[in-house]
Amino acid sequence: MKYLSLYIILGVMLIAGVLSFFFYKKSMREEEEVLAKATYTIHKTWEFPQILNEVSGIAWVNDSTLACIQDEEGVIYDFNLITSEITHDVRFGEDADYEAIALKGKQAYVMRSDGLVFEIADYTLDTLDVSPFDTPFDAQNNMESLAYNPKTDLLVTVPKDRGLKKDRYKGLYAISPETKTMGENPLFNIDMKTKTLDSIQKKKAENNFYPSDLAIHPKTGDYYLVDGRNLKLLILTQSGKVKALHNLNRYHFEQPEGIAFSPEGRLFIANEAAGGVATLLEITLEE
């Protein structure tokens, strides 16, 4: 009886080992297939400090620094690209759901998920001059995108969940930093039923693409919108024409929530930890 039990245990261990090896090989094959389909090249990867596990927005500062926010604290963090450390942090507001940041020089603009924007006159100071202002958006729109366009001197945003008109379109809207007002009409609308999004068609058209953040290419003026749920990167021309849709595979992009360009066109995407480690990737896209 003693030997029988031993044989049973050994048999179970052998079967478990074979199954583990099978699933490991299957996982490796799937990963190789996904990586083979990647339409981008990763140049460098950084790991964020734990305080940025919930990183939700990034903005270019200079060759060594990105400004970052996370969606639980009203704090702006400067992340050093050389040392992978936070070199400066400053509180601009109480803890809340902050989702996007844009910079106009030393002026910072941070958007809360309900559409409220915080203008910080000079975020590099220890004592801040903060002026919040409203937009037509609310929590149902779930705002997570904000970018500054130096060519037009306008901020640009797009709702993540529901468009203002509750239909199949999500519009990109311009906000004037000077008047703190937004035009009634969008710069253009993104059709959630466009053929480009056929691979992720959902029951409700508004669910086909969830903009988690946007950035404007400094040379072409194209709009780059990242989707942290469907793991996509959508590129639109200045007039709103769909230019390309890139898949962001899960082995590199656990939950992409922030996107930014350097003035030369270097592209950075930030990932929330999502159970692992929050990361920053610099990538180049295939044409």
Side-chain angles (χ1 to χ4, degrees):
M1 192 70 176
K2 178 180 177 180
Y3 291 110
L4 179 60
S5 298
L6 180 61
Y7 291 143
I8 292 174
I9 293 171
L10 290 174
V12 170
M13 291 177 64
L14 178 61
I15 293 171
V18 171
L19 288 175
S20 296
F21 179 75
F22 170 78
F23 286 115
Y24 171 76
K25 294 294 287 184
K26 183 174 183 291
S27 176
M28 290 295 292
R29 285 197 302 272
E30 289 176 349
E31 180 175 359
E32 289 172 356
E33 290 174 2
V34 172
L35 294 178
K37 296 177 182 177
T39 55
Y40 53 83
T41 301
I42 297 175
H43 295 291
K44 189 170 181 178
T45 301
W46 293 262
E47 288 189 2
F48 280 124
Q50 190 173 359
I51 191 66
L52 288 173
N53 273 356
E54 299 296 322
V55 60
S56 56
I58 59 175
W60 177 264
V61 178
N62 56 45
D63 287 341
S64 64
T65 309
L66 286 181
C68 309
I69 58 166
Q70 57 118 317
D71 62 12
E72 294 178 345
E73 296 181 341
V75 179
I76 298 175
Y77 299 90
D78 275 348
F79 177 73
N80 191 291
L81 296 170
I82 299 171
T83 64
S84 298
E85 297 175 339
I86 293 171
T87 54
H88 179 256
D89 62 84
V90 63
R91 179 170 287 277
F92 66 88
E94 62 184 16
D95 293 350
D97 188 15
Y98 302 102
E99 293 289 350
I101 181 171
L103 295 183
K104 177 185 177 183
K106 293 182 179 180
Q107 273 186 292
Y109 296 87
V110 178
M111 179 167 266
R112 207 166 65 184
S113 59
D114 61 0
L116 188 68
V117 177
F118 294 77
E119 180 188 56
I120 300 105
D122 184 346
Y123 90 95
T124 65
L125 301 177
D126 292 328
T127 302
L128 302 183
D129 178 10
V130 183
S131 303
F133 63 90
D134 250 327
T135 66
F137 302 105
D138 58 33
Q140 287 188 326
N141 304 117
N142 194 12
M143 305 304 296
E144 293 196 1
S145 300
L146 193 66
Y148 173 67
N149 190 339
K151 294 180 180 178
T152 61
D153 190 28
L154 294 171
L155 296 167
V156 181
T157 189
V158 58
K160 179 180 181 180
D161 289 354
R162 180 179 293 175
L164 281 179
K165 296 185 179 180
K166 302 178 183 180
D167 55 18
R168 61 189 272 184
Y169 299 96
K170 293 180 183 178
L172 265 71
Y173 291 85
I175 302 171
S176 168
E178 299 302 319
T179 64
K180 298 179 175 60
T181 57
M182 188 179 91
E184 290 185 11
N185 298 318
L187 297 172
F188 55 81
N189 283 309
I190 308 172
D191 185 355
M192 294 291 104
K193 290 188 177 181
T194 178
K195 289 183 178 179
T196 307
L197 302 178
D198 278 351
S199 61
I200 46 176
Q201 287 292 332
K202 305 291 176 61
K203 191 172 183 180
K204 287 186 177 181
E206 66 184 29
N207 298 337
N208 289 338
F209 195 85
Y210 295 99
S212 300
D213 200 7
L214 72 86
I216 303 169
H217 195 289
K219 296 181 178 179
T220 65
D222 292 340
Y223 296 93
Y224 286 59
L225 286 76
V226 66
D227 180 339
R229 294 190 196 177
N230 295 309
L231 302 184
K232 305 291 181 182
L233 177 61
L234 181 65
I235 303 176
L236 306 167
T237 65
Q238 296 181 60
S239 61
K241 182 180 178 181
V242 175
K243 193 171 183 178
L245 180 69
H246 293 268
N247 296 314
L248 302 176
N249 77 63
R250 63 186 178 276
Y251 300 104
H252 301 143
F253 298 94
E254 187 76 20
Q255 190 173 331
E257 292 288 337
I259 184 170
F261 280 104
S262 74
E264 297 79 26
R266 295 168 63 191
L267 176 58
F268 298 85
I269 296 178
N271 293 287
E272 282 192 7
V277 178
T279 58
L280 174 72
L281 280 70
E282 180 183 353
I283 67 172
T284 298
L285 299 172
E286 293 180 7
E287 296 294 333

